[in-house]
Amino acid sequence: MKNKLKLTTSDICDALNIKKHRLRGWTQTLSPYCDHNLTARVARKYFVRDLLFFAAVKALEDDCSIGIASISKWAPKLHELLGTPLSKLHDQLLVFSTAGDVCFATSGTPATPGITLEFDLIREPIESYFDITEPKQQRELTFGLMGIK
């Protein structure tokens, strides 16, 4: 798909209300971003999936007081999980296991102990940044219609 929405570092920082050095620290520490070699004078390009990933990282740091070293063990699984269709993640809890590097989504009470984040709370600031308003009844549909202004 050629018409994917590409975001810049400034877009990510504005959407999450963070400073550039904080995002740079995440990209230098967290996989898969730390694995990419950048050439000089070439800016990174991000997609909405990356924005969701960084929103989850911010929530883990700010709301749960989890350090970046601990988040780095969940980063590959989280990035893979956020690659699934977003309609499957509505009303889901993201569970980060304290016993290992396991990260998964569930709709019920998690069977394993860990840290839980509501996916919809991660998604809300992003939707407000893009000015996306989605009626409640559409959110319940499996194919997720979006309102157009």
Side-chain angles (χ1 to χ4, degrees):
M1 291 180 74
K2 282 189 161 186
N3 296 330
K4 284 187 176 182
L5 176 64
K6 292 182 182 176
L7 303 169
T8 63
T9 299
S10 296
D11 295 330
I12 299 283
C13 292
D14 290 343
L16 299 178
N17 196 21
I18 59 172
K19 302 281 186 191
K20 287 184 181 182
H21 70 273
R22 189 172 182 192
L23 179 62
R24 188 171 35 254
W26 293 342
T27 57
Q28 291 173 350
T29 307
L30 301 175
S31 182
Y33 304 99
C34 66
D35 302 331
H36 297 310
N37 293 330
L38 292 178
T39 57
R41 299 178 186 254
V42 175
R44 267 188 210 262
K45 295 292 181 197
Y46 301 100
F47 300 101
V48 174
R49 173 187 184 177
D50 302 317
L51 181 56
L52 286 168
F53 176 83
F54 292 126
V57 170
K58 181 181 183 220
L60 286 170
E61 275 191 345
D62 294 350
D63 301 337
C64 302
S65 301
I66 306 293
I68 196 70
S70 297
I71 295 171
S72 66
K73 67 181 178 183
W74 297 311
K77 299 281 186 185
L78 176 61
H79 195 266
E80 180 182 325
L81 178 65
L82 293 175
T84 61
L86 296 182
S87 60
K88 292 183 179 180
L89 294 175
H90 286 297
D91 301 323
Q92 295 281 313
L93 293 174
L94 300 180
V95 181
F96 302 90
S97 174
T98 54
D101 63 351
V102 179
C103 171
F104 60 93
T106 183
S107 58
T109 305
T112 59
I115 299 157
T116 59
L117 291 175
E118 288 184 46
F119 178 72
D120 288 337
L121 293 178
I122 294 169
R123 205 182 71 186
E124 283 175 6
I126 296 167
E127 288 178 350
S128 67
Y129 176 74
F130 288 118
D131 198 27
I132 298 172
T133 56
E134 184 177 351
K136 179 77 170 139
Q137 63 270 31
Q138 286 186 3
R139 192 172 279 195
E140 295 169 1
L141 296 174
T142 57
F143 49 86
L145 298 175
M146 293 297 213
I148 299 175
K149 290 187 176 186

